[in-house]
């Protein structure tokens, strides 16, 4: 899901979405069960938030993408081992110079309304994505395209200006039905509330505030999904959701670390549910607004990083189920540089750096510089318990070295529009998903600091800019690796973020569901192969 | 009577005006300009649509002009479009949520009155007895316990531990396939917890009020006279006293509504009931100004209507008002 | 008729103490004040001291009420939380009573169009679901303890205003006020010397109940995430942090929950007790 590497999943830890890398650690503990694959039953999942729109191009929230992901397909997708494979594209060729990709589309695929899927749909999707009137966060990758053409009904070709490494992966974007959208205003389309896609599940109904139901697509090109229905229930309170899981009202949810470790190890729970655990493809960070004089001083940022005990955060927030983040990549991937020299926990060093930066201890235990106390607000989003805990631990640690921290929690959409986009924040505690392609141009390049763009902390570093452009302008993995390792060294020095942790995803699924294959990609990758043996079917 | 009604209805207009004025003021306390919000939401909103928005809210105009414009839209029941990404008309969003909130609150209200009145009478008749004390502690516990805590405890006990009742939502999954009675029963089961907790929490006010009115009536001269005449206590209480004690209770009906609607935020969030309270909370957190203003106005108007109905009932029941100062 | 003196007060006190529930409740309230004032003497812990390696420990000799999700001592947080919750209750009610009394006095004493205008304002305010108003204002400004107290106060004065006005109306026509007026006392003197003291008793009752209501409102706001903000402990936010662990870390929700329950209950019983004690009908 390349889409998700962008704006989408800042909210990731809210429901640890099931994309991850590294094998599942805990083998399901349930009794081994037999039963042949059978059609029927429904998977009910719970969500805190209601989707905003089911046109994925316009969506920037997890819920929307979770549902839309089952209704639409891209041209390519990641398989369970996180290798790119064909989705709506049966195959593709990349020209020798890497500038042209020719996709051969799968013939015979039909939209849910019965119309044929053709290259015209792909062309339309491209056009609407780069149309400046379309309010989307996903246009950047497609602006690199020099020419897009539908050669015939089932052949689609794109040509790039210069080599662009994330090109192929970017075509994982959901393809929209041209016959329903072309010539219309996409922001006013009824598809936002009743989508028509090519995916394994057909949209059935959306009861506002209650649930969305999808039904198996009998004509799906990969074969009809076993599970008849997919129901997405909206349950705005976390505690309620967990009780629903235990009472059988929902079949799956992402557990919190406390639930995973302390509440669900009873034989009764383990008989009814399988638990999975694998590192999520996401990290949490404390980011500083570098436009503010306070955070312009690198020593101040380093000092804060020195004052924060990441071990303690992982213990307190994740009960140990996660790893320290040192940079923007996931440990174990090729782009990740082990052992970068980032600030370790050392409060004495922090105090010394702050002294060098001109702060002196005030009478009330708060550092002062030029008559102003060292005080700032950490903002984070509502509904994310882990971030809230994390902020409180940081608040406590920073108080020890004489920094006064306030915490402010805000609703997601208003947080983005009122504070992030306007640069009206001091520090934020947020998360990024880690995409499969290591290109981070959108987050770190100095040209991406305008309002609504992702480098909202205003990080500007000429060397990082150069490495980012070099890294995405070549297909040679060794060369790219050198670039990204270089970037990690600079980030470790500069500390524009204090990288905090990579949490583990901890989903639980009712044990009547069979065919789940934990893999580097998590568990949801083969949803259409999940089944419930006839004898155990419930719904 | 007709005169009275007409007078009451004419009185509604200044009140309505006041409601809109206060709503408008509350929203304009918030820093930032609403349009900025919405246009910022979709970065590529064209200049034309931005102008359209400014036009709609008249934001370039002074505040009083803005208010009058907004009022003009309200007169056509036009609350504008939601700032949420779905950008739907606020009226649509509210209308789809009102029925369930009203249904819940009306049932809770009926239960509240049905229970609180007898409880209050019982307490008054057995004044200062152990029963009276017991009742007062019971109803005050209902008032004093934080609702979300009680709700979660009940969900855990009745839903998880003993699996007697569904935990949240309004319908079970296979609802569509149930028989008519099955549907009714399913729906009822989903409402038991939220409604009983809401009712338990609201008993205190009314039952104590009932108790004190009853006590007041019982101390009146005509009751003493009735007793002196040797009428049986039962007849005195239920025939003579009750009728008069019940009258003022009617007016309370209207005033119970805002409390219940306000409380629906908590209930609807915790029980995953898609009503107006939940919508309001989401709207407030997302700074969806048109939605928030719409719900505030509609919520207040519901109370206004409730009050009017209660007053009319009162007038019908009390001849002094019907003929007298009415 | 006379201004309240020692006699009637003692009489009221006698009647109040006859109500054992109310007395017990009053004792509880006093005890709570003492507890919260002496919080730092009663516990060796810092209410904000995080211990990430000892989260959600059950009650023990070291931690009477166990530890919370960040390893903080729940007992310590509950008694420090008492300060915050009581502060919210009292300041909010103080504001409500002040506004309500002034509006009620002016409205009742002057009558005429002033009265009409103010009472329509009361009617209008009473139409709004109060919790909606509070929610809207706090979420749009920012959740801070001061805003919470002020907003609860600003939305809770209408009852007091009506009570005071009614009392003023009934007192205005009584002999001692007319007498004072005949003797040439100024408006201000009449209001403050003669009317206000007499109108105070219903206000006292309503204030006692108001404190209870404000504590509950804060806990509801905390549940929605816009109550008193961390690390400051309030009963509402401790209870909220415990709601996720209700069936296994019961201590985290039970103690703050009981604290709220018992306190709110006590204020209500005391309020009832005062009302009964002041009620002249009881004398018959």
């Amino acid at each position: 899901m390349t889409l998700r590497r962008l704006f989408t999943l800042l909210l990731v830890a809210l429901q640890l979405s099931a994309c991850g890398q590294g094998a599942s650690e805990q083998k399901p503990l349930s009794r081994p069960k037999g039963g042949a694959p059978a059609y029927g039953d429904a998977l009910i999942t719970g969500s805190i938030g209601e989707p905003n729109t089911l046109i994925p191009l316009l969506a920037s929230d997890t819920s929307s993408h979770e549902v839309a992901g089952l209704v639409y397909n891209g041209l390519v997708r990641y398989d369970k081992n996180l290798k790119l494979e064909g989705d709506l594209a049966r195959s593709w060729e990349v020209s020798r110079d890497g500038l042209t990709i020719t996709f051969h589309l799968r013939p015979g695929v039909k939209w849910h309304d019965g119309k044929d899927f053709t290259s015209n749909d792909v062309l339309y999707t491209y056009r609407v994505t780069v149309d400046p009137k379309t309010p989307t966060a996903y246009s950047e990758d497609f602006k690199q395209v020099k020419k897009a053409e539908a050669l015939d009904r089932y052949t689609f070709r794109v040509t790039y200006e210069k080599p662009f490494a994330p090109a192929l992966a970017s075509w994982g974007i959901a393809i929209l039905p041209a016959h329903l959208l072309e010539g219309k205003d996409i922001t006013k389309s009824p598809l936002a509330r009743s989508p028509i896609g090519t995916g394994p599940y057909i949209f059935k109904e959306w009861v506002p505030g209650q649930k969305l139901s999808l039904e198996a697509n009998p004509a799906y090109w990969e074969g009809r999904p076993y599970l008849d229905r997919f129901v997405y229930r909206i349950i705005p309170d976390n505690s309620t959701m967990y009780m629903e899981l235990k009472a059988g009202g929902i079949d799956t949810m992402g557990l919190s670390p406390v639930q995973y470790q302390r509440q669900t190890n009873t034989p009764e729970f383990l008989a009814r549910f399988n638990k999975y655990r694998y590192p999520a493809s996401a990290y949490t960070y404390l980011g500083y607004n570098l436009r503010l004089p306070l955070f312009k001083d690198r020593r101040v940022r380093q000092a804060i990083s020195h004052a924060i005990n990441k071990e303690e955060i992982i213990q307190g927030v994740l009960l140990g189920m996660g790893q320290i983040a040192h940079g923007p990549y996931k440990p174990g991937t090729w782009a990740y540089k082990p052992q970068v020299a980032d600030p370790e926990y050392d409060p004495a060093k922090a105090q010394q750096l702050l002294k060098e930066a001109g702060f002196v201890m005030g009478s009330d235990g708060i550092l002062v510089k030029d008559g102003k106390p060292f005080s700032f607000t950490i903002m984070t989003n509502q509904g994310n318990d882990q971030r809230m805990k994390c902020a409180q631990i940081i608040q406590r640690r920073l108080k020890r070295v004489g920094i006064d921290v306030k915490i402010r929690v805000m609703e997601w959409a208003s947080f983005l529009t009122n504070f992030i986009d306007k640069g009206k924040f001091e520090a934020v505690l947020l998360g990024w998903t880690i995409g499969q392609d290591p290109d981070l141009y959108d987050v770190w390049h100095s040209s991406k600091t305008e309002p609504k763009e992702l480098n909202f902390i205003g990080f500007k570093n000429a060397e990082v800019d150069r490495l980012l452009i070099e890294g995405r302008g070549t297909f040679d993995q060794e060369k790219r690796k050198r670039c990204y390792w270089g970037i990690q060294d600079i980030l470790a020095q500069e500390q524009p973020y204090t990288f905090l942790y990579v949490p583990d995803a901890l989903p639980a699924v009712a044990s009547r569901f069979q065919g789940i294959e934990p893999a580097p990609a998590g568990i949801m990758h083969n949803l259409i192969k999940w089944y419930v043996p006839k004898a155990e079917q419930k719904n | 009577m007709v005169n009275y009604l007409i007078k009451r209805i004419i009185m509604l207009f200044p009140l309505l005006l006041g409601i809109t004025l206060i709503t408008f003021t509350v929203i304009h306390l918030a820093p930032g300009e609403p349009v900025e919000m919405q246009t910022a939401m979709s970065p590529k909103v064209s200049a034309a649509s931005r102008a359209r928005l400014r036009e709609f809210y008249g934001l370039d105009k002074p505040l009083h002009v803005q208010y009058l414009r907004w009022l003009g839209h309200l007169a056509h029941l036009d609350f504008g479009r939601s700032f949420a990404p779905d950008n739907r008309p606020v009226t649509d969003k509210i209308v789809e949520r009102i029925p369930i909130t009203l249904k819940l609150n009306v049932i809770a209200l009926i239960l509240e009155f049905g229970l609180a009145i007898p409880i209050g009478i019982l307490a008054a008749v057995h004044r200062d007895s152990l029963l009276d004390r017991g009742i007062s502690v019971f109803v005050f516990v209902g008032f004093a316990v934080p609702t979300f805590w009680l709700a979660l405890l009940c969900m855990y006990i009745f839903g998880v531990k003993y699996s007697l009742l569904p935990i949240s939502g309004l319908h079970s999954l296979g609802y569509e396939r149930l028989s008519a009675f099955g549907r009714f029963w399913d729906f009822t089961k989903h409402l038991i917890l939220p409604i009983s907790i809401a009712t338990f929490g609201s008993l205190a006010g009314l039952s104590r009020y009932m108790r004190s009115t009853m006590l007041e009536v019982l101390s009146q001269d005509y009751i003493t006279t009735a007793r002196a005449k040797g009428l049986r206590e039962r007849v005195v209480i239920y025939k003579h006293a009750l009728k008069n004690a019940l009258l003022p209770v009617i007016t309370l009906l209207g005033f119970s509504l805002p409390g219940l609607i306000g409380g629906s935020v908590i209930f609807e969030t915790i029980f995953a009931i898609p009503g107006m309270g939940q919508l309001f909370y989401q709207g407030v957190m997302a700074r969806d100004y048109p939605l928030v203003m719409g719900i505030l106005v509609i919520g207040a108007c519901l109370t206004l209507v409730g009050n009017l109905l209660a007053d009319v009932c009162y007038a019908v029941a009390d001849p002094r008002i019907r003929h007298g100062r009415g | 008729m006379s201004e309240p003196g020692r006699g009637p007060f003692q009489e009221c006190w006698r009647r109040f103490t006859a109500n054992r529930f109310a007395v017990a409740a009053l004792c509880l309230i006093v005890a709570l004040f003492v507890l919260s004032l002496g919080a730092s003497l009663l516990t060796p812990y810092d209410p904000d001291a995080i211990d990430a390696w000892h989260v959600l420990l059950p009650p023990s000799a070291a931690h009477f009420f166990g530890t919370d999700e960040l390893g903080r001592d729940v007992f310590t947080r509950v008694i420090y939380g008492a300060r915050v919750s009581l502060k919210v209750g009292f300041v909010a009610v103080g504001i409500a009573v002040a506004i309500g009394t002034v509006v009620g006095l002016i409205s009742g004493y002057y009558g005429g169009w002033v009265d009409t205008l103010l009472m329509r304002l009361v009617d209008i305010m009473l139409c709004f679901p109060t919790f909606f108003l509070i929610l809207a204002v706090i979420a749009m400004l920012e959740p801070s303890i001061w805003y919470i107290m002020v907003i609860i106060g600003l939305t809770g004065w209408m009852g007091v205003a009506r009570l005071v006005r009614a009392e003023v109306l009934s007192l205005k026509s009584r002999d001692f006020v007319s007498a004072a007026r005949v003797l040439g006392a100024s408006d201000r003197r009449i209001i403050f010397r003669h009317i206000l003291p007499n109108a105070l008793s219903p206000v006292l009752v309503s204030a006692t109940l108001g404190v209870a209501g404000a504590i509950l409102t804060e806990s509801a706001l905390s549940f929605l995430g816009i109550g008193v903000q961390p690390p400051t402990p309030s009963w509402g936010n401790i209870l909220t942090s415990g709601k996720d662990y209700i069936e296994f870390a019961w201590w985290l929700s039970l103690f703050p929950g009981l604290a709220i329950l018992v306190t709110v209950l006590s204020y209500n019983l005391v309020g009832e007790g005062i009302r009964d004690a002041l009620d002249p009908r009881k004398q018959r």
Side-chain angles (χ1 to χ4, degrees), chain A residues 68-307:
Chain A
L70 295 171
V71 177
Y72 294 97
N73 298 93
L75 291 186
V76 296
R77 66 180 177 201
Y78 285 101
D79 70 3
K80 62 178 180 180
N81 294 312
L82 300 171
K83 296 269 172 295
L84 279 173
E85 64 172 10
D87 192 355
L88 287 175
R90 196 176 38 177
S91 63
W92 61 86
E93 291 121 32
V94 182
S95 65
R96 179 108 15 113
D97 57 8
L99 293 180
T100 307
I101 310 175
T102 311
F103 290 99
H104 301 285
L105 308 182
R106 220 173 274 279
V109 173
K110 288 196 187 307
W111 292 99
H112 295 155
D113 61 0
K115 295 277 187 319
D116 284 334
F117 157 76
T118 67
S119 54
N120 190 37
D121 296 312
V122 187
L123 191 61
Y124 167 75
T125 304
Y126 161 73
R127 285 191 180 141
V128 73
T129 307
V130 294
D131 185 339
K133 287 208 287 294
T134 308
T136 178
Y138 311 111
S139 60
E140 174 60 29
D141 284 352
F142 298 92
K143 286 187 185 148
Q144 311 297 320
V145 173
K146 189 169 79 182
K147 198 164 72 180
E149 53 206 324
L151 297 184
D152 63 42
R153 218 167 138 75
Y154 294 109
T155 314
F156 176 75
R157 185 156 77 195
V158 273
T159 312
Y160 289 82
E161 188 87 36
K162 45 188 192 274
F164 183 58
L168 185 55
S170 71
W171 290 97
I173 192 168
I175 303 299
L176 300 168
H179 66 283
L180 295 172
L181 286 165
E182 207 151 27
K184 297 187 181 126
D185 180 355
I186 192 169
T187 59
K188 300 224 159 60
S189 167
L191 292 192
R193 298 192 67 81
S194 59
I196 290 181
T198 50
Y201 282 90
I202 300 175
F203 173 82
K204 178 154 170 265
E205 64 164 347
W206 182 345
V207 189
Q210 294 188 59
K211 61 171 183 179
L212 288 94
S213 306
L214 309 180
E215 259 176 6
N217 178 359
Y220 190 52
W221 59 268
E222 263 184 297
R224 180 197 158 174
Y226 287 116
L227 299 175
D228 275 349
R229 277 171 303 148
F230 177 89
V231 182
Y232 197 78
R233 275 188 64 184
I234 295 135
I235 303 173
D237 183 74
N238 254 321
S239 331
T240 310
M241 191 164 349
Y242 178 63
M243 289 204 219
E244 279 286 8
L245 181 78
K246 287 187 68 161
I250 57 174
D251 296 315
T252 175
M253 72 180 270
L255 298 176
S256 74
V258 175
Q259 286 161 349
Y260 186 92
Q261 219 174 71
R262 310 270 293 267
Q263 290 176 268
T264 54
N265 284 328
T266 57
E268 192 240 343
F269 187 91
L270 294 174
R272 291 178 51 214
F273 295 94
N274 290 324
K275 294 197 284 181
Y276 303 87
R277 175 179 169 189
Y278 46 87
S281 286
Y283 67 89
T284 299
Y285 63 89
L286 179 65
Y288 312 102
N289 188 344
L290 303 177
R291 297 176 192 90
L292 302 177
L294 178 64
F295 293 119
K296 274 214 170 95
D297 189 336
R298 183 173 74 188
R299 288 168 301 190
V300 170
R301 306 191 304 262
Q302 287 171 333
I304 295 175
S305 294
H306 276 301

Side-chain angles (χ1 to χ4, degrees), chain B residues 133 143 156 208 281 284 303, chain C residues 21 127 139 224 247 268 272:
Chain B
R133 298 276 185 240
F143 173 78
Y156 175 64
R208 297 317 275 175
Y281 174 50
V284 157
T303 313
Chain C
F21 274 102
C127 280
L224 297 174
E247 98 282 21
N268 274 304
E272 279 272 300

Side-chain angles (χ1 to χ4, degrees), chain B residues 32-231:
Chain B
E33 191 180 80
V35 166
E36 220 176 284
M37 261 295 296
Q38 179 160 12
T39 50
M41 210 76 137
S42 16
K44 285 143 193 164
V45 174
S46 63
S49 65
R50 189 167 314 178
R52 215 166 46 230
L53 270 172
R54 292 190 73 88
E55 166 73 12
F56 187 91
Y57 293 102
L59 285 171
D60 35 1
K61 304 281 188 308
L63 271 182
H64 66 275
V65 180
Q66 284 186 41
Y67 171 65
L68 289 177
R69 268 168 184 263
W70 179 62
L71 220 51
H73 288 293
L74 285 195
H76 300 96
L77 287 181
D78 178 5
F79 289 97
R81 276 178 179 270
S82 163
F83 283 2
D86 62 10
N87 204 18
R88 296 169 63 208
V90 167
T91 321
D92 288 7
K93 288 185 97 160
I94 298 177
V95 164
E96 91 196 355
R97 301 273 189 145
I98 278 186
I100 183 63
T101 300
L102 271 189
K103 225 181 278 178
L104 243 91
N105 285 323
V106 168
I107 300 176
L109 207 62
I110 293 172
L111 277 178
E112 180 195 337
F113 276 72
L115 286 172
I117 291 174
I119 286 182
I121 295 171
L122 214 61
V125 172
H126 302 272
R127 173 172 142 191
D128 292 338
S129 70
L130 209 62
L131 183 70
D132 181 21
R133 298 276 185 240
I135 285 176
S136 79
V137 171
F138 173 76
V139 296
F140 280 133
V141 165
F143 173 78
V145 65
T147 33
F148 68 91
W149 186 46
L150 184 65
L152 282 167
L153 280 175
C154 290
M155 279 157 96
Y156 175 64
I157 293 168
F158 296 106
V160 178
K161 200 141 191 206
Y162 298 108
S163 316
L164 292 173
L165 293 169
I167 288 172
S168 67
L170 289 173
H171 308 294
S172 303
L173 193 64
Y175 181 75
E176 300 81 6
R177 285 168 285 163
L178 294 173
S179 65
F181 177 76
R183 285 183 190 198
F184 174 74
W185 179 231
D186 184 65
F187 187 54
T188 311
K189 276 206 303 198
H190 279 86
L191 294 188
I192 290 177
L193 277 184
I195 288 185
S196 11
I197 293 169
T199 310
F200 184 40
S202 62
L203 282 181
L206 183 59
S207 69
R208 297 317 275 175
Y209 183 78
M210 191 64 217
R211 176 180 178 270
S212 63
T213 355
M214 194 69 187
L215 283 178
E216 198 171 327
V217 171
L218 283 176
S219 67
Q220 304 272 319
D221 294 339
Y222 69 94
I223 296 289
T224 322
T225 319
R227 279 184 177 143
K229 279 199 299 195
L231 288 180

Side-chain angles (χ1 to χ4, degrees), chain C residues 54-68:
Chain C
H54 295 98
V55 301
L56 297 171
L57 294 182
S60 64
H63 301 283
F64 301 140
F65 290 0
T67 63
D68 74 358

